[in-house]
């Protein structure tokens, strides 16, 4: 493919650390000519020795996705070979090596110390969305970023069981008060900013924001009416629903999208929709045309200060709306690799030989030995690149003593048996790998649609342009990407965050892939977004990264062709668990909720994942793991110790 002059000027033709992506494509193409035992799966492909260091397009493994799509479409078994009995038997088999699956294994071992456990993970790395990305800068410094699950948000709201589990795996959340430099930006006189793109707003303009909108909005390329409206909305919003009681306002706001609130309730210029469009995506997975004004209030969007709404959430707010409105904790509980650090701690508890060290600090810098994960001598084994395609009891579920699991192993099919099984995979996968469920439960499982997203890390040789502009981040309203920010300033043990502008640094760039169509509900938006995401190539993502940074930071002397040293795009076509939200889910919050029917175990099988909590947070994944383990072990006392309802504890937020 020939490059345009613009692409060459941005450095698309220059050598950066994205070769693993290109080599991966080459291996796939070469493997296609080899003898294959299953569609699209090359035989005897050499496993990747250290996945965190791979760059280019990461996230969900294309191989794993192809297998499960074939299972979903009913074509997999047409050409599948006869499964080979591995002869392996375990007390517990966990399907899925994300936070929930790893936590289930740890919790099981705590109660069954002599158990043999196998974890089957279909991707080439563990952690699920809690993915670690590593880079080596041109000056030799190692940089560590997060490719998905970001932080342990609001430990104050964690269940007693989750708090204890974190302690058990060596994580003391109080230490983040020292690890996270909350004054890093202030000490360097860096603030926030907004980059307005000419394609949407008529001119490329970077504007540094301040507390008073009247001080910076006049510098934007918004039209005059939109400027006036935005200043009023932020600085001195009136009561837009005068004469109504607080409860009446809550009811109106729970039925009105934030987009309609801005234009119809407030009577403001439609440019404000373009300005705020992506502001709700990070927490709710949809834009302002699908987020209620009530949840936008919880999210911190402006316009509600004059409406006397109080400080207690209204019952119809989504779980994240309730959380952000009432959050008592600073957003600091973050390893350099996000919740990849939590995943590493869980793996260290299960396979100590794979993760050297004993402290939180050495979790960060330890070189994980992937070759030790599936050692036959281990009481717990973690097997990567192992897609489970069938799960069935060996006899009637009420009488069987074992469960047979069939999985793909390097192009072949193998079976293992387990006395107990935890399905810590996605809800929508489960009906495709078992035929033992009633239709009502299948319908409930299929209700959970994942939010598609991309989490990208861009390695810069320095952050001089940010220093010159006096910013640490910028939003990009209605752009391909939602903006960019210098990574969170975390220093742990031997790992030190950037100090001077000459230091290399990672930029975090993300995109929640939604379709801004007011006619589509949250599930339809997620589905449409997933299809559009799968059509995107890494080259398209890279071009948009370079183009945005080059234009936004131009006044600071940034040159995308020379300043970018590496790029990793973590593509999560099936991303975060979708929350229950108005106006789409009229059964929320009074129920019955689909998760109540969907997560019911049967026979020797239980279900654990963030989908089971309809809440895309690491602590929810751990709660659901605890529920699944407690169900299998019949531990009714434990069933009272974790959170079964989505969102923060109701008694702690005034509901």
């Amino acid at each position: 493919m020939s490059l345009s002059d613009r692409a060459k000027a941005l450095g698309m033709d220059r050598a950066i650390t994205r070769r693993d992506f290109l080599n991966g494509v080459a291996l796939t193409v070469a493997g296609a000519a080899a003898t294959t035992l299953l569609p699209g799966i090359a035989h005897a492909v050499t496993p990747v020795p250290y996945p965190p260091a791979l760059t280019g397009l990461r996230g969900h493994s294309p191989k794993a996705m192809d297998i499960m799509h074939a299972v979903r479409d009913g074509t997999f078994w047409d050409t599948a070979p006869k499964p080979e009995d591995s002869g392996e038997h375990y007390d517990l088999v966990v399907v899925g090596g994300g936070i929930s699956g790893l936590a289930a294994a740890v919790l099981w071992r705590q109660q069954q110390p002599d158990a043999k456990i196998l974890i089957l993970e279909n991707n080439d790395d563990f952690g699920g969305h809690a993915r670690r990305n590593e880079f080596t800068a041109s000056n030799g410094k190692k940089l560590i970023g997060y490719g998905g699950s970001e932080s342990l948000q609001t430990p104050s709201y964690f269940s007693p069981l989750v708090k204890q589990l974190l302690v058990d795996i060596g994580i003391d959340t109080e230490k983040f008060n020292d690890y996270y430099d909350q004054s890093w930006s202030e000490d360097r006189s860096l603030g926030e900013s907004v980059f307005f793109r000419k394609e949407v707003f008529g001119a490329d303009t970077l504007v540094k924001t301040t507390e008073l909108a009247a001080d910076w909005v006049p510098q934007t390329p918004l039209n005059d009416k939109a400027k006036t409206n935005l200043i009023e909305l932020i600085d001195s919003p009136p009561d837009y629903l005068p004469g109504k009681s607080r409860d009446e306002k809550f009811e109106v706001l729970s039925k009105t999208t934030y987009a309609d609130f801005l234009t119809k309730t407030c009577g403001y210029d439609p440019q404000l929709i373009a300005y705020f469009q992506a502001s709700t995506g990070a927490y709710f997975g949809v834009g302002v045309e699908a987020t209620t004004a009530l949840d936008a209030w919880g999210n911190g969007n402006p316009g509600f200060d004059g409406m006397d709404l109080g400080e207690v959430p209204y019952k119809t707010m989504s779980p994240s709306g309730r959380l952000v409105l009432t959050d008592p904790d600073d957003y600091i509980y973050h390893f350099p690799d996000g919740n990849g650090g939590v995943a590493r701690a869980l793996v260290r508890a299960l396979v100590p030989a794979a993760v050297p060290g004993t402290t939180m600090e050495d979790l960060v810098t330890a070189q994980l030995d992937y070759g030790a994960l599936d050692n036959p001598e281990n009481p717990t084994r973690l097997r990567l690149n192992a897609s489970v395609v069938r799960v069935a009891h060996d006899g009637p579920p009420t009488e069987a003593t074992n469960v047979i699991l069939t999985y793909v192993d390097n192009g072949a099919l193998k079976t293992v048996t387990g006395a107990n099984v935890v399905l810590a995979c996605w809800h929508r996968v489960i009906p495709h790998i078992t035929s033992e469920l009633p239709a009502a439960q299948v319908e409930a499982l299929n209700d959970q649609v994942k939010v598609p997203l991309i989490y990208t890390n861009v390695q810069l040789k320095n952050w001089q342009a940010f220093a010159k502009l006096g910013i640490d981040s910028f939003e990009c309203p209605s752009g391909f990407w939602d903006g960019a920010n210098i990574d969170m300033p975390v220093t742990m043990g031997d790992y030190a965050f950037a100090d001077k502008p000459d230091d290399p640094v990672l930029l975090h760039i993300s995109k929640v892939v939604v379709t801004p169509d007011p006619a589509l509900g949250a599930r339809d938006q997620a589905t449409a977004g997933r299809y559009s995401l799968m059509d995107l190539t890494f080259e398209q993502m890279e071009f948009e990264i370079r183009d945005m940074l080059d234009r936004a930071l131009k006044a600071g002397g940034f040159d995308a062709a020379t300043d970018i040293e590496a790029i990793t795009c973590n593509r999560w076509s099936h991303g975060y668990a979708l929350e229950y939200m108005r106006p789409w889910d009229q059964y929320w919050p009074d129920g019955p909720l689909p998760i109540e029917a969907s997560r019911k175990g049967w026979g020797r099988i239980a279900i654990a994942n963030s989908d089971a909590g309809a809440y895309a947070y690491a602590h929810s994944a751990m709660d659901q793991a605890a529920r699944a383990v407690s169900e299998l072990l019949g531990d009714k006392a434990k069933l009272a110790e974790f959170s079964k309802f989505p969102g923060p504890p109701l008694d702690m937020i005034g509901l």
Side-chain angles (χ1 to χ4, degrees), residues 434-626:
T434 184
S435 59
E436 298 178 346
L437 297 177
Q441 185 168 2
V442 170
E443 181 181 1
L445 286 164
N446 285 330
D447 176 75
Q448 185 55 239
V449 178
K450 293 284 196 179
V451 176
L453 47 88
I454 317 171
Y455 268 25
T456 292
N457 285 300
V458 178
Q459 177 190 327
L460 301 183
K461 67 180 181 181
N462 59 60
W463 51 279
Q464 291 176 359
F466 285 85
K468 291 176 182 177
L469 293 167
I471 63 172
D472 60 8
S473 60
F474 64 83
E475 297 175 3
C476 186
S478 297
F480 179 92
W481 299 102
D482 296 337
N485 60 272
I486 294 175
D487 201 6
M488 297 188 191
V490 179
T491 294
M492 296 182 63
D494 294 334
Y495 184 78
F497 190 71
D499 180 24
K500 306 297 183 184
D502 287 339
D503 292 337
V505 74
L506 293 181
L507 291 186
H508 180 71
I509 298 176
S510 64
K511 177 181 180 67
V512 177
V513 189
V514 296
T515 302
D517 184 344
L520 296 180
R523 287 164 183 76
D524 291 335
Q525 283 208 17
T527 300
R530 180 165 61 255
Y531 286 128
S532 66
L533 176 56
M534 294 307 296
D535 288 337
L536 288 172
T537 66
F538 176 76
E539 287 84 359
Q540 288 173 304
M541 297 180 198
E542 180 182 359
F543 177 85
E544 294 291 347
I545 289 168
R546 290 177 175 275
D547 183 65
M548 177 183 70
L549 294 177
D550 201 69
R551 290 159 60 181
L553 304 174
K554 184 177 182 180
F558 185 84
D559 183 350
T562 59
D563 290 345
I564 294 175
E565 294 189 330
I567 298 174
T568 299
C569 293
N570 299 274
R571 179 180 64 186
W572 305 111
S573 50
H574 296 269
Y576 289 166
L578 189 70
E579 295 187 9
Y580 297 136
M581 295 180 289
R582 294 294 186 96
W584 319 110
D585 303 319
Q586 291 300 310
Y587 49 75
W588 171 257
D590 298 323
L593 304 179
I595 53 172
E596 296 169 356
S598 69
R599 65 193 181 195
K600 289 182 178 179
W602 72 103
R604 292 181 169 272
I605 301 174
I607 295 174
N609 49 49
S610 59
D611 289 352
Y615 199 45
Y617 293 78
H619 63 277
S620 178
M622 289 183 264
D623 271 327
Q624 297 307 319

Side-chain angles (χ1 to χ4, degrees), residues 314-335:
Y314 190 60
K315 66 177 184 177
T316 59
M317 293 179 74
S318 70
S320 282
R322 297 173 175 183
L323 169 68
V324 183
L325 179 67
T326 62
D327 195 343
D329 297 342
D330 293 321
Y331 195 71
I332 62 171
Y333 304 96
H334 177 88
F335 283 93

Side-chain angles (χ1 to χ4, degrees), residues 83-103:
E84 171 191 345
D85 183 359
S86 69
E88 296 178 27
H89 175 76
Y90 298 88
D91 300 295
L92 174 70
V93 179
V94 179
V95 179
I99 293 287
S100 198
L102 296 172

Side-chain angles (χ1 to χ4, degrees), residues 150-269:
E150 189 168 300
S151 298
L152 290 167
Q153 184 159 0
T154 321
S156 292
Y157 288 164
F158 290 1
S159 68
L161 190 144
V162 169
K163 291 180 180 179
Q164 185 59 50
L165 177 59
L166 291 175
V167 171
D168 293 342
I169 61 175
I171 295 178
D172 180 356
T173 55
E174 290 299 314
K175 289 187 176 182
F176 287 104
N177 286 290
D178 296 324
Y179 297 149
Y180 194 107
D181 186 354
Q182 296 187 66
S183 64
W184 188 88
S185 293
E186 183 181 355
D187 291 345
R188 291 158 181 80
S189 300
L190 304 179
E192 300 174 347
S193 62
V194 180
F195 174 57
F196 295 85
R197 301 169 68 245
K198 62 184 178 183
E199 294 88 343
V200 179
F201 300 101
D204 281 350
T205 309
L206 182 75
V207 180
K208 187 173 181 179
T209 60
T210 57
E211 184 174 352
L212 281 177
D215 291 339
W216 61 268
V217 169
Q219 305 169 42
T220 71
L222 296 169
N223 66 54
D224 289 342
K225 181 183 177 185
K227 289 179 181 178
T228 300
N229 294 159
L230 185 57
I231 291 171
E232 179 179 72
L233 184 75
I234 297 175
D235 289 350
S236 56
D239 186 344
Y240 297 105
L241 296 173
K244 295 186 180 296
S245 68
R246 181 178 291 177
D247 283 346
E248 289 173 333
K249 291 176 182 177
F250 282 148
E251 281 298 313
V252 171
L253 296 175
S254 68
K255 299 174 182 177
T256 305
T257 66
Y258 190 59
D260 283 347
F261 173 77
L262 293 172
T263 56
K264 297 179 181 179
T265 304
C266 304
Y268 288 160
D269 190 278

Side-chain angles (χ1 to χ4, degrees), residues 105-136:
V106 170
L107 292 167
W108 189 277
R109 180 157 303 292
Q110 287 179 341
Q111 299 187 61
Q112 303 284 326
D114 298 326
K116 288 182 61 180
I117 300 173
L118 174 67
I119 303 168
L120 296 170
E121 165 58 42
N122 65 343
N123 284 286
D124 65 358
D125 206 351
F126 61 83
H129 301 131
R131 187 68 64 87
R132 178 184 176 102
N133 293 163
E134 289 185 13
F135 304 83
T136 301

